[in-house]
Structure formats: C-alpha cells, structure tokens
Amino acid sequence: LVRSVGSEMCIRDRPDISEESIVKLIDHEFAATTQTDIAGAPGLDIYTFSAKQKGTAVISMDYKRSWEGAAEWTFTATINVK
C-alpha cells in the first residue's frame, strides 16, 4: 500500500482480520520512498501476515486522512489458506 503526501493509512493499530485463528498480522513497517526528513513524505506501508491453519479470512484496511471521518477507499482481501 502506498502512502501519499497528506494522507495516512488509518488501521486502528492493526488491520481488521475476520479470523485471526487462520491469518495473523506478524509485522507492519513504513518504508520512505523519498527523503525521510520531510514530514508527510510518501512511502510504503508493508504488512506481513502468517497463515495459521486452513480456512478463509478477510483482511480489510481503510485509507483516509486522520482528520476526516470517511475513508477515501477500503482495501479488502479474501485469503484462502489450503
């Protein structure tokens, strides 16, 4: 997920995961893609998940500015662990 100037990924400390017994968030980091000394510089949010057992889970995250109520868009992924 790409973070742009003036926006941030608001995930309430973590993405919403429908079944954490199937998929678990392992790590989240931000990697700046330009100068790191500029506030609001764009970059990448990198999420690492681990499959725990067979089944289906849905991961969702809202992309929005922290001072606005509604999300610009929502990222949703259905994960099938076999």
Side-chain angles (χ1 to χ4, degrees):
L1 298 172
V2 178
R3 185 182 300 191
S4 62
V5 176
S7 295
E8 63 184 71
M9 182 64 68
C10 295
I11 58 169
R12 295 171 302 282
D13 298 324
R14 57 187 298 132
D16 288 330
I17 302 173
S18 65
E19 297 292 334
E20 289 197 31
S21 62
I22 296 170
V23 175
K24 184 174 182 178
L25 176 66
I26 300 299
D27 189 35
H28 169 237
E29 63 182 279
F30 177 75
T33 57
T34 60
Q35 295 176 317
T36 58
D37 59 341
I38 299 174
L44 301 173
D45 282 287
I46 302 167
Y47 297 87
T48 304
F49 296 91
S50 174
K52 296 303 206 182
Q53 65 179 358
K54 292 180 181 181
T56 301
V58 176
I59 298 170
S60 64
M61 293 177 259
D62 291 336
Y63 186 84
K64 66 179 185 175
R65 293 178 177 93
S66 59
W67 61 88
E68 295 178 350
E72 289 183 38
W73 51 267
T74 300
F75 168 83
T76 303
T78 301
I79 309 298
N80 294 306
V81 180
K82 297 182 179 190

